[in-house]
Amino acid sequence: MTMGQPAASESPDTQLLAGLDFLLLDVELTGTDATQDTVIGMAWLALVDGAFHPGDLRYVSFTDAEAGDIEAGYQACLDLMAKSTVVTINP
């Protein structure tokens, strides 16, 4: 929505996207080649009703955490993904 314009002036596509929840996901690797490097962490942040709250940011380190903490963090991320729109970007 453009500042100062009512929601009714939005295009149908914009209205549709504004109503979706997204999960911003970042996978941290030891390098830039996903086929050769190792995943060392994962961060995620929910985008709900077009907004996010930095306090909701979650990060799981796969290198200095206990196996149970990694599993619980990964499961929490999967649970949020199951309720969110998934968009992937592979630069």
Side-chain angles (χ1 to χ4, degrees):
M1 171 169 39
T2 304
M3 208 72 143
Q5 292 182 351
S9 66
E10 295 180 8
S11 73
D13 292 336
T14 302
Q15 290 176 358
L16 178 64
L17 287 176
L20 296 176
D21 295 344
F22 290 89
L23 184 69
L24 308 174
L25 175 67
D26 180 44
V27 178
E28 185 177 11
L29 300 169
T30 56
T32 58
D33 185 348
T35 63
Q36 295 183 359
D37 295 311
T38 303
V39 175
I40 58 173
M42 189 168 62
W44 62 93
L45 180 62
L47 181 67
V48 179
D49 295 327
F52 64 88
H53 304 281
D56 293 340
L57 177 65
R58 297 292 176 257
Y59 178 79
V60 174
S61 171
F62 293 170
T63 56
D64 17 323
E66 299 291 322
D69 293 338
I70 293 171
E71 184 177 340
Y74 184 69
Q75 187 61 52
C77 181
L78 290 178
D79 291 345
L80 278 173
M81 287 176 68
K83 296 185 272 184
S84 303
T85 301
V86 177
V87 177
T88 61
I89 299 174
N90 297 311

